[in-house]
Amino acid sequence: MGKTKHTGPMKLPKLPDPKLWVSPIPFGLGKVKPHHLRDTVKVVWENRDNLSYAARILTQGVCDGCALGVSGLHDQTLAGPHLCTTRLNVLRLNTMPAIKDEVIFQDIHELRKLSSTELRKLGRIPYPLMRRKGEDRFKRLTWDEALTIIADKMKELDPKQMAFYLTSRGITNESYYVAAKAARLIGTNNIDNASRICHSPSKTALKRSLGIGASSCTYKDWIGTDVLVFWGSVAANNQPVSTKYMYAAKRKGTKIIVINPYHEPAMDEYWVPSIPDSALFGTKLADDFYQVNIGGDIAFMHGIMKHWFEMENEKRGSAINYDFVEKHVNGFDKLKQHVEQYDWEALEKSSGISKERMKELAKMLAAANSGVFVWSMGLTQHRFGTDNISQVANLALLRGFIGREHCGVMPIRGHSGVQGSGEMGADPFSLPGGGFDKETVERIENVWGFELPKWQGDMVGVSLENALLPDDHERKLKLYYMSGGNFLETMPNPDFVKQCLENLELRVHQDIIFNTSTLLDAKEAVIVLPAMTRYEQPGGGTSTSTERMVYFSPEIKGPRIEEARAEWQIFVDLAKRVKPERKHLMNFQDAFAVRAEIAKAAPDYDGIQHLKHKGDVFQWGGAWLCEDGICPTEDGKGNLITVELPELRKAEGQFYATSRRGKQFNSMIYSERDPFNGADRYDVLMFREDAEKLGIQDGEAVVVYNRHGLFQGRAKVENVKQGNIAVYWPEGNSLFPKGVYEQYAGIPEYNTTVIVEKAETFYAQKDVKYKEKRIEELEMEVG
């Protein structure tokens, strides 16, 4: 771990720089862009019944939105206030009153007519509820009744037939940790969390390349680095506060490069609301865009390295940092031989980037003395996601962009609860402070005081599929306990997911609001438990940011949902009921006791036990992991990983398709219109020439389909890489294959090949087998 400590927030320049302005026209009038002031007024109006409480949450609590780590209105990167629309949109989840009784107890078929957005607006879940099979209404339970039913069912089952899942919806480290311990005490390793769907390849790849499972640097390293590369990440959309860091980086002369199939408007130009000159005239963020094919990133990175090796053949040291590589890196010769075997034609075809453009970026990176690589789900959510990230690590290691100021690799997190989830052990492959290796298991057994189940737990997608196994199968999932989440709107193939969820005997939804999955049937019963938000949790709670800052968020005085309970307390109560003979091992009296045990169980978190007051924070690992090039691997060196080009098979007439986020927080949609491009949630983003070739007009109804599903929408001509399309997530999830997981990390596949046709052409076919015939014809062409 690093010895250098984070130096705290820095100040922005006082005078503006007109060279960075987008337009002399104030506030971007006439442009398609977010309207921050209007959105803020809307949020104020929504929270008008609890304005003082809302203000206390914003000024005292740690953001429950993205993982930038804003505590109150301040962070550790830049001085001054920080507030974004993502946080404001999430705010109402914390301030709204309970759902009215007459709404809760109406016919379930009436509730099912509502979307998740409409269900969210009904209010908070006020008390425990249950609906047995065949019943058309929820009925109220006491906490004792609800937990007794769940515990009795767990006692009946083989531990392999039950599973836990935790989303990232404002969940604290304390809740992740207690859930991880409770699951193992009950006897199951089937526990997983939302990071499986987002960033599991990042952790897996960084572990094998660098021996770390988190960002190696901080946000301050963006500001003043020579090159800041965003790879498959639209931070301006998903982590809006980061635009302030990009602004500061631009003022220091940093070049910002974006690699994405879609020329993202949000990464091109942005009006940062908390910086006066940017709020007025906008800021040009990206210096260059490289529009890569969906799935073409590995080939693109091979091209960069291939040119580096060509440069080295002409002049040693012109591209590779040999001083760093020879001291701190394994596998150089093997990687060089592997990369050089690919010809430029293959790399161009796979990546969609010309040889000249690949060389252009290669030269820029070779000339840079520092660089930070940031990525998100554009790299991770592939069946080869781990290999994508290993290639990023290869680039950083070859240039020595590791373990020093203004350098590093950063998987930017989308939610404030994600980084801590695996580090707390809420993961089938992890325990607090480590993996599931023999040494970690023995260490945790000593801390927890009981023997852990040794069998391999299932990840979330497999757990869902196991609900459809034969009844007598030892892994037949019969009980799923979910803390938040809506698999209907996060997993591929919603119809299949619905089948899985309804085939469970008992389904438990521990949450603060209803969503569409809450209302599905189960073979025996559905139980709903009301949870507290992080701001209601007695004794406060902690969360870990992208840059490994562990923040304390205090309990904030305000109105309460009377029967809602802290999530970690619910897990304690449940575990004691299932295993009463072991209840002394779950005897946490308060949140401080939980943090004290976390400090013992997860060595990196030694210091969490001292967090007690508003603003308390510490960073585990120091400012830079792998400081001075020394990695926490067996030999202290980083490992260059050879990666094969993925097979990307697409027939003439097909498109690569991926998903895109709009104005949303995870699957929670806050607007039907994308503020960055004016798109509707059912728009299909297409390249103009692709649309013209198919005779499709901008705004015309289209059908997108493949063997997995069908999506109906309207074409929207946008600057998308030719041969590629984008649909919104989760609306387009029906197109993505079920049961396809990344080899190493188990992330579901969210990319596929599709056919796009005019709706009138598709529906004019009288043959009901038309769709299947078209798919078969195109696949024969590929073969």
Side-chain angles (χ1 to χ4, degrees):
M1 295 299 160
K3 57 183 180 291
T4 302
K5 301 299 181 185
H6 195 281
T7 53
M10 59 191 294
K11 293 182 178 180
L12 284 169
K14 292 183 179 180
L15 297 176
D17 182 358
K19 295 194 300 296
L20 298 178
W21 291 353
V22 173
S23 167
I25 300 174
F27 301 110
L29 295 176
K31 289 183 175 287
V32 178
K33 59 179 284 294
H35 298 282
H36 296 108
L37 182 59
R38 185 183 68 189
D39 290 345
T40 301
V41 171
K42 179 183 175 184
V43 169
V44 171
W45 179 253
E46 287 177 343
N47 290 275
R48 64 191 181 277
D49 57 345
N50 261 324
L51 273 179
S52 59
Y53 182 44
R56 288 195 295 275
I57 288 172
L58 293 177
T59 56
Q60 299 176 26
V62 173
C63 177
D64 54 350
C66 70
L68 298 187
V70 178
S71 178
L73 296 177
H74 302 275
D75 67 11
Q76 301 299 307
T77 305
L78 289 171
H82 308 298
L83 190 61
C84 73
T85 52
T86 298
R87 188 179 183 191
L88 288 173
N89 283 327
V90 175
L91 182 61
R92 187 55 177 164
L93 292 176
N94 302 287
T95 66
M96 61 186 174
I99 309 174
K100 295 179 180 179
D101 287 356
E102 59 266 28
V103 174
I104 292 176
F105 300 121
Q106 67 181 303
D107 191 296
I108 196 70
H109 298 94
E110 293 301 312
L111 286 172
R112 284 175 179 161
K113 293 177 182 178
L114 303 178
S115 67
S116 282
T117 299
E118 292 167 327
L119 289 168
R120 181 176 74 239
K121 292 178 180 179
L122 295 178
R124 294 273 300 276
I125 299 168
Y127 33 69
L129 299 163
M130 183 174 71
R131 189 172 61 84
R132 293 193 181 275
K133 183 179 180 180
E135 295 178 344
D136 57 9
R137 285 174 170 79
F138 282 112
K139 70 175 184 179
R140 184 172 180 171
L141 296 178
T142 66
W143 270 102
D144 182 65
E145 289 171 334
L147 290 177
T148 297
I149 292 169
I150 300 167
D152 287 347
K153 183 66 177 178
M154 286 183 168
K155 291 175 185 178
E156 292 176 13
L157 298 178
D158 185 308
K160 293 178 182 177
Q161 296 178 323
M162 65 182 80
F164 290 84
Y165 172 82
L166 292 89
T167 189
S168 52
R169 178 251 317 131
I171 292 181
T172 59
N173 288 326
E174 290 81 354
S175 293
Y176 284 123
Y177 178 82
V178 175
K181 183 177 181 180
R184 271 57 180 243
L185 184 135
I186 290 169
T188 187
N189 280 325
N190 293 332
I191 179 169
D192 209 349
N193 64 81
S195 67
R196 173 76 47 219
I197 302 173
C198 302
H199 266 297
S200 51
S202 299
K203 179 178 178 180
T204 305
L206 291 178
K207 278 287 185 182
R208 74 182 187 180
S209 294
L210 301 170
I212 63 176
S215 171
S216 74
C217 58
T218 73
Y219 295 118
K220 283 189 70 175
D221 291 309
W222 293 15
I223 305 167
T225 187
D226 287 345
V227 184
L228 175 59
V229 181
F230 289 92
W231 219 303
S233 169
V234 191
N237 187 357
N238 299 313
Q239 296 93 0
V241 170
S242 70
T243 56
K244 197 167 185 177
Y245 310 156
M246 292 184 229
Y247 173 92
K250 296 289 291 186
R251 297 300 305 271
K252 286 279 189 176
T254 295
K255 296 289 185 186
I256 295 180
I257 305 299
V258 179
I259 300 159
N260 207 58
Y262 178 36
H263 191 113
E264 285 283 354
M267 296 297 288
D268 204 2
E269 303 171 344
Y270 200 90
W271 283 255
V272 184
S274 57
I275 299 174
D277 72 301
S278 182
L280 276 171
F281 306 115
T283 301
K284 300 173 186 174
L285 295 179
D287 290 277
D288 205 350
F289 272 84
Y290 290 83
Q291 289 183 262
V292 67
N293 277 335
I294 295 164
D297 304 279
I298 287 174
F300 187 20
M301 287 184 264
H302 269 101
I304 292 170
M305 291 186 288
K306 183 176 177 67
H307 188 57
W308 283 352
F309 294 133
E310 290 176 348
M311 293 171 66
E312 288 299 323
N313 291 335
E314 296 181 12
K315 182 182 178 182
R316 181 178 168 83
S318 59
I320 306 299
N321 185 338
Y322 281 107
D323 183 57
F324 183 89
V325 168
E326 290 170 359
K327 291 179 182 177
H328 303 296
V329 179
N330 297 316
F332 178 80
D333 292 336
K334 184 178 179 182
L335 178 68
K336 183 174 185 291
Q337 181 181 8
H338 177 77
V339 169
E340 289 179 335
Q341 73 176 325
Y342 290 107
D343 59 54
W344 282 109
E345 183 180 359
L347 298 180
E348 287 180 318
K349 181 179 179 182
S350 181
S351 68
I353 303 289
S354 70
K355 172 182 175 180
E356 290 70 31
R357 287 283 279 162
M358 284 189 263
K359 287 185 173 182
E360 187 180 287
L361 184 55
K363 290 174 183 176
M364 177 187 289
L365 293 174
N369 292 316
S370 58
V372 176
F373 299 136
V374 181
W375 68 88
S376 191
M377 289 174 285
L379 283 191
T380 61
Q381 287 188 333
H382 292 266
R383 65 183 185 278
F384 39 82
T386 296
D387 285 347
N388 276 339
I389 312 310
S390 292
Q391 282 283 79
V392 176
N394 286 344
L395 297 180
L397 287 169
L398 289 173
R399 289 295 302 131
F401 291 167
I402 292 291
R404 57 188 175 94
E405 189 178 20
H406 297 146
C407 291
V409 290
M410 177 180 285
I412 191 168
R413 298 293 195 168
H415 309 297
S416 64
V418 177
Q419 183 62 45
S421 57
E423 292 168 349
M424 296 296 101
D427 183 313
F429 306 105
S430 301
L431 290 168
F436 223 92
D437 55 280
K438 185 173 183 290
E439 181 182 346
T440 304
V441 167
E442 290 176 352
R443 179 175 59 79
I444 292 300
E445 286 179 340
N446 287 331
V447 174
W448 285 354
F450 61 88
E451 185 176 345
L452 304 182
K454 300 301 191 295
W455 48 274
Q456 176 58 57
D458 290 321
M459 58 193 182
V460 54
V462 174
S463 287
L464 278 171
E465 292 172 17
N466 286 352
L468 300 180
L469 289 172
D471 287 341
D472 58 353
H473 196 287
E474 68 166 1
R475 293 247 180 183
K476 163 78 171 180
L477 192 70
K478 298 182 179 181
L479 185 155
Y480 213 158
Y481 191 114
M482 291 164 282
S483 176
N486 182 358
F487 293 137
L488 280 181
E489 296 177 11
T490 55
M491 297 295 285
N493 200 319
D495 289 341
F496 176 74
V497 172
K498 179 176 183 289
Q499 183 183 359
C500 295
L501 291 172
E502 291 193 325
N503 211 51
L504 293 159
E505 293 180 2
L506 179 62
R507 210 174 61 245
V508 182
H509 294 267
Q510 179 175 299
D511 213 331
I512 60 175
I513 54 173
F514 282 164
N515 63 54
T516 52
S517 70
T518 320
L519 309 178
L520 295 177
D521 289 329
K523 293 174 77 173
E524 292 181 5
V526 176
I527 291 180
V528 181
L529 303 176
M532 286 182 169
T533 69
R534 67 169 53 177
Y535 307 115
E536 298 166 342
Q537 184 172 300
T542 62
S543 60
T544 308
S545 74
T546 293
E547 57 183 351
R548 297 170 281 106
M549 294 280 185
V550 184
Y551 287 90
F552 178 74
S553 190
E555 179 184 1
I556 297 173
K557 291 182 179 180
R560 292 291 184 264
I561 302 299
E562 187 173 351
E563 292 195 40
R565 297 181 62 184
E567 303 209 53
W568 69 262
Q569 291 177 328
I570 303 172
F571 290 123
V572 167
D573 196 344
L574 177 65
K576 286 181 176 181
R577 290 167 184 261
V578 179
K579 297 287 184 181
E581 71 280 8
R582 291 181 170 184
K583 63 181 181 181
H584 61 287
L585 300 172
M586 292 293 292
N587 199 26
F588 295 113
Q589 296 301 313
D590 51 36
F592 300 101
V594 177
R595 290 192 282 275
E597 188 170 296
I598 291 173
K600 296 176 183 176
D604 288 341
Y605 277 74
D606 187 10
I608 194 172
Q609 69 273 33
H610 305 306
L611 305 183
K612 297 180 180 178
H613 305 292
K614 170 191 169 185
D616 283 356
V617 60
F618 77 96
Q619 183 183 37
W620 71 258
W624 310 302
L625 300 184
C626 305
E627 188 166 355
D628 299 327
I630 301 170
C631 297
T633 55
E634 286 188 11
D635 60 1
K637 294 185 176 183
N639 299 303
L640 295 169
I641 306 294
T642 58
V643 172
E644 301 293 337
L645 293 191
E647 183 183 19
L648 300 174
R649 299 172 73 242
K650 175 171 74 73
E652 183 69 27
Q654 285 188 330
F655 293 84
Y656 297 124
T658 193
S659 61
R660 185 179 189 276
R661 276 60 171 169
K663 194 176 181 67
Q664 62 194 98
F665 178 72
N666 200 3
S667 62
M668 292 188 287
I669 311 302
Y670 287 98
S671 174
E672 295 301 311
R673 180 180 175 275
D674 188 327
F676 293 107
N677 60 13
D680 179 84
R681 299 294 307 184
Y682 287 87
D683 278 348
V684 178
L685 309 187
M686 297 185 70
F687 184 63
R688 180 174 296 279
E689 289 183 20
D690 286 336
E692 290 175 351
K693 187 176 179 180
L694 296 172
I696 295 172
Q697 301 295 316
D698 190 22
E700 187 171 6
V702 295
V703 175
V704 184
Y705 63 94
N706 56 18
R707 65 170 58 255
H708 310 298
L710 181 146
F711 176 79
Q712 302 176 72
R714 293 190 177 275
K716 181 167 176 55
V717 172
E718 287 287 327
N719 192 355
V720 181
K721 178 70 178 176
Q722 190 166 11
N724 299 259
I725 68 165
V727 294
Y728 281 87
W729 183 95
E731 287 82 358
N733 282 2
S734 58
L735 297 170
F736 303 121
K738 65 179 175 64
V740 177
Y741 303 108
E742 200 271 346
Q743 178 182 357
Y744 304 103
I747 197 168
E749 172 72 279
Y750 286 93
N751 304 275
T752 189
T753 55
V754 298
I755 302 168
V756 180
E757 289 185 359
K758 285 186 171 187
E760 65 178 36
T761 301
F762 182 86
Y763 288 111
Q765 306 304 316
K766 295 180 179 179
D767 186 347
V768 295
K769 296 292 185 182
Y770 173 72
K771 172 186 167 185
E772 288 75 10
K773 285 183 177 181
R774 283 282 288 128
I775 294 167
E776 185 177 351
E777 288 168 4
L778 291 175
E779 290 184 345
M780 286 175 65
E781 290 176 25
V782 171

